[in-house]
Amino acid sequence: MVKSPDIQPITASAAFILGEICRDKNDAILPLVRLLLHHQKLVPFVTTIAQLDLNDNQEANTIFRGNSLATRCMDETMKIVGNHYLKVTLKNVIDEICESPKPCEIDPNRLREGDNIDNHKENLRHYVDKVFSCIVKSSMSCPTMMCDLFSSLRHMAVRHFPNDRHVQYSAVSSFVFLRFFAVAVVSPHIFHLRSHHPDTQTSRVLTLISKTIQTLGSVGSLSKNKTSSFKEPFMCDFYKMFEEETYTADVKKFLEEISSTESKEPSGMSESVILKEGEMYKRAQGRARMVKKSFNKRWFSLTSREFTYHKHKDKEPVFRIPIKSILAVEKLDESAFSKNNMFQVIYGDKPLYIHASNCVEANEWIEVLSRVSRRNHRRLSKYHPSAFINGTWLCCKASSESTEGCSPCTVGAPADVALDIDGDRECEKIYSLFSTNMSKLQTMEETCASMAVYQGPQEHSDCHFTIEDSVETFKSLQQIKAIVERLNEPHEKHKKGSTSAKYGSQENPIVGKGS
């Protein structure tokens, strides 16, 4: 099973075959995802089977909207890996809504006498804005596993639809908004955000919030009116209260942050999104070590690709740091240059020292720079909290500028929550599924044999299998059957040794400690 991501084509792998033979795909997906997670093989497997979806998809606006093996595996992965992420992002606001829900009904046919629809719209908008804000500010909490998957899906989508400049976002929003956050909002009990199913009134409020969040989070062709995604006229009217361009910009920034990667981007990913801009002071980067260098006012800009500064806002950058080159972003001790609100961007053998106008601005820059660089593989674990001046690090008094940092980095990638997965238990479930469906394995094997002889249309009775390479699939089926049959022997032996006699009878007596 764990070799499945390496099998070519992926449809000939044991993991894919398991999904083919199970009548209820969920029976296969639950143990499959957990087993591959346990062995750190899930990302390559989901990436490969997602490519199958793309190969069958000719319309960018419907990307990853189906109910395939790939999308179901993603759904289950987000439930397992993203459970803690959901709690830290949405639990407080969901609790607030559920414990004292304000009236939010905006359907004229559901309003009661005396209801003020304008007040209801304001209440609903307040909740939507609150939930939306929690989501788009949560990228630092997104688990690395989910970020890796989103990054892979995004790059695959761009390669498949090179002429659609929005598909890099819709490929990710299809999962994180439509299949993760929106579902958690409407059914918080399923994701353990609430202990019980909400009452009817609260459930209605959550449904209206979820519908709006889905539409705000969708980044498709911006030439189309998003109100067309609503079936109800009252939802179209409500959605017009939102300034779509503002929300779309926030969504793009969020999607950039959770799917950024160090790998080379496909040529179709030409759009560079501005994440933050502003005026700050940077310390001159001359090579003279004996001089306390001056601070110059510069215009700083952070995009999804690079961190730059310019002499003036509309001028070309005079200095660039690629996002993938950032090794750490940390605060700088006031003692370094007798200035507060300073931070450093470490990008190579030396840092860039920056002075912000206030502590809020400094913290915002540190946070957003850390978000986009948190998955860089070469990030530092230690740094120098002060500067190297006159041949000495002021913090640790080391005399070599290349000396390793003396303090642990405080801003890094969030620790992934440990997953309690019993690999043996999941293997036992998978064995049971294969054992139960041996007849389908046999039918699939016969289909492969007939395909190898006769290349025309195949008749599979009631079974429809995806078989790209009959020879490789046949090999995998033979291996699966041989292993299942070998495992059947000890199971059958155990069954014969057990008894169905009532406990306490002569055939199955009660054995005490003194016996």
Side-chain angles (χ1 to χ4, degrees):
M1 293 300 293
V2 296
K3 291 178 181 177
S4 292
D6 304 319
I7 300 298
Q8 295 293 331
I10 193 67
T11 52
S13 67
F16 189 89
I17 291 171
L18 179 65
E20 287 284 280
I21 63 173
C22 290
R23 181 184 295 272
D24 185 348
K25 297 281 190 224
N26 285 332
D27 290 343
I29 288 163
L30 298 180
L32 174 60
V33 167
R34 290 188 176 101
L35 182 68
L36 294 180
L37 268 174
H38 181 66
H39 290 279
Q40 299 180 334
K41 293 285 188 177
L42 185 67
V43 173
F45 177 73
V46 172
T47 300
T48 309
I49 59 174
Q51 186 62 55
L52 297 178
D53 286 11
L54 285 173
N55 294 342
D56 293 335
N57 193 330
Q58 304 302 320
E59 180 57 55
N61 289 333
T62 60
I63 190 170
F64 299 131
R65 296 294 180 90
N67 209 16
S68 64
L69 180 64
T71 56
R72 289 188 182 191
C73 283
M74 276 293 295
D75 290 345
E76 185 61 26
T77 301
M78 291 189 296
K79 278 185 184 178
I80 297 172
V81 178
N83 187 259
H84 178 72
Y85 175 36
L86 274 179
K87 287 181 179 178
V88 299
T89 304
L90 290 182
K91 182 162 175 56
N92 288 341
V93 66
I94 294 295
D95 284 343
E96 176 189 332
I97 296 169
C98 292
E99 289 167 10
S100 54
K102 297 177 182 178
C104 295
E105 185 55 69
I106 57 174
D107 183 353
N109 296 324
R110 289 175 176 243
L111 292 174
R112 295 174 294 187
E113 187 177 349
D115 284 348
N116 187 322
I117 192 168
D118 290 332
N119 288 344
H120 289 197
K121 284 183 177 180
E122 285 301 322
N123 291 339
L124 182 57
R125 175 163 186 178
H126 170 74
Y127 283 148
V128 169
D129 278 336
K130 205 160 189 177
V131 172
F132 180 82
S133 178
C134 289
I135 292 172
V136 296
K137 292 179 180 178
S138 70
S139 62
M140 281 297 285
S141 302
C142 187
T144 306
M145 172 71 69
M146 287 175 61
C147 291
D148 289 341
L149 285 167
F150 293 150
S151 177
S152 296
L153 296 173
R154 178 184 173 194
H155 283 68
M156 289 163 53
V158 170
R159 284 193 293 268
H160 194 73
F161 296 105
N163 298 322
D164 191 316
R165 63 193 182 96
H166 297 300
V167 75
Q168 59 176 305
Y169 301 113
S170 58
V172 181
S173 64
S174 295
F175 287 106
V176 74
F177 275 98
L178 272 65
R179 307 178 77 108
F180 187 58
F181 283 120
V183 179
V185 169
V186 78
S187 303
H189 58 292
I190 294 178
F191 291 85
H192 309 292
L193 298 178
R194 299 287 293 176
S195 56
H196 303 289
H197 190 287
D199 59 50
T200 304
Q201 179 186 349
T202 306
S203 183
R204 176 62 178 167
V205 173
L206 295 175
T207 299
L208 294 172
I209 295 171
S210 179
K211 285 184 176 183
T212 314
I213 290 295
Q214 285 184 54
T215 306
L216 288 172
S218 64
V219 185
S221 175
L222 297 184
S223 62
K224 294 184 178 180
N225 191 342
K226 284 188 179 181
T227 55
S228 62
S229 64
F230 295 111
K231 296 178 181 178
E232 310 95 336
F234 64 86
M235 286 300 298
C236 295
D237 293 337
F238 173 66
Y239 187 75
K240 291 174 183 176
M241 296 175 65
F242 298 86
E243 295 179 11
E244 186 172 312
E245 289 185 6
T246 303
Y247 287 87
T248 298
D250 288 341
V251 169
K252 282 186 175 182
K253 287 182 183 179
F254 170 67
L255 297 176
E256 284 277 358
E257 291 166 357
I258 64 172
S259 63
S260 60
T261 179
E262 281 191 277
S263 61
K264 185 178 179 181
E265 295 181 339
S267 57
M269 295 174 71
S270 57
E271 184 179 2
S272 183
V273 177
I274 296 175
L275 304 178
K276 187 171 176 60
E277 289 183 307
E279 205 169 56
M280 294 184 291
Y281 291 83
K282 65 95 183 174
R283 186 195 183 218
Q285 298 191 83
R287 281 293 178 183
R289 297 184 179 183
M290 301 299 291
V291 182
K292 282 199 171 185
K293 305 177 187 71
S294 60
F295 283 80
N296 302 314
K297 184 187 290 188
R298 293 290 183 262
W299 180 262
F300 287 82
S301 177
L302 174 65
T303 71
S304 51
R305 302 221 179 121
E306 60 184 7
F307 181 49
T308 60
Y309 63 74
H310 318 237
K311 284 192 174 182
H312 302 286
K313 181 177 180 180
D314 298 324
K315 299 294 183 181
E316 285 296 309
V318 295
F319 189 76
R320 287 184 167 94
I321 303 176
I323 295 299
K324 64 181 181 181
S325 299
I326 296 177
L327 306 181
V329 184
E330 295 287 346
K331 290 183 178 180
L332 191 70
D333 285 353
E334 183 179 342
S335 61
F337 302 105
S338 300
K339 295 178 183 292
N340 53 14
N341 307 321
M342 286 198 67
F343 64 96
Q344 54 184 315
V345 180
I346 305 171
Y347 60 93
D349 58 350
K350 60 178 182 176
L352 171 64
Y353 297 124
I354 302 172
H355 180 217
S357 58
N358 55 66
C359 62
V360 175
E361 185 74 3
N363 288 336
E364 286 181 357
W365 276 104
I366 292 171
E367 182 179 4
V368 70
L369 282 163
S370 299
R371 283 179 185 173
V372 296
S373 64
R374 70 191 181 115
R375 293 173 59 238
N376 291 352
H377 298 307
R378 298 182 297 119
R379 279 188 68 95
L380 299 178
S381 58
K382 291 183 178 182
Y383 78 108
H384 290 285
S386 195
F388 187 80
I389 297 176
N390 295 333
T392 304
W393 284 106
L394 300 183
C395 44
C396 60
K397 308 305 178 185
S399 58
S400 173
E401 192 172 6
S402 60
T403 301
E404 184 185 18
C406 56
S407 297
C409 288
T410 57
V411 181
D416 285 333
V417 178
L419 301 175
D420 185 16
I421 296 175
D422 185 340
D424 291 341
R425 185 183 181 89
E426 304 309 329
C427 281
E428 176 67 21
K429 291 177 184 176
I430 291 170
Y431 153 74
S432 179
L433 290 170
F434 276 132
S435 182
T436 304
N437 290 282
M438 282 294 277
S439 60
K440 288 186 179 180
L441 290 174
Q442 182 63 39
T443 303
M444 201 171 183
E445 192 178 64
E446 291 169 358
T447 303
C448 289
S450 64
M451 286 177 68
V453 176
Y454 172 62
Q455 297 297 322
Q458 300 294 318
E459 295 183 4
H460 302 165
S461 64
D462 294 329
C463 300
H464 301 280
F465 304 118
T466 301
I467 301 174
E468 291 182 274
D469 187 322
S470 59
V471 176
E472 288 301 318
T473 305
F474 186 83
K475 289 179 183 177
S476 295
L477 287 165
Q478 285 193 313
Q479 290 178 343
I480 293 167
K481 287 176 62 180
I483 292 170
V484 171
E485 287 169 1
R486 190 161 70 245
L487 287 170
N488 276 340
E489 294 177 9
H491 281 75
E492 291 300 323
K493 195 172 183 180
H494 173 75
K495 288 178 183 178
K496 289 179 180 178
S498 62
T499 177
S500 60
K502 183 178 178 181
Y503 186 56
S505 64
Q506 187 173 356
E507 293 80 8
N508 188 17
I510 299 172
V511 180
K513 291 182 179 179
S515 301

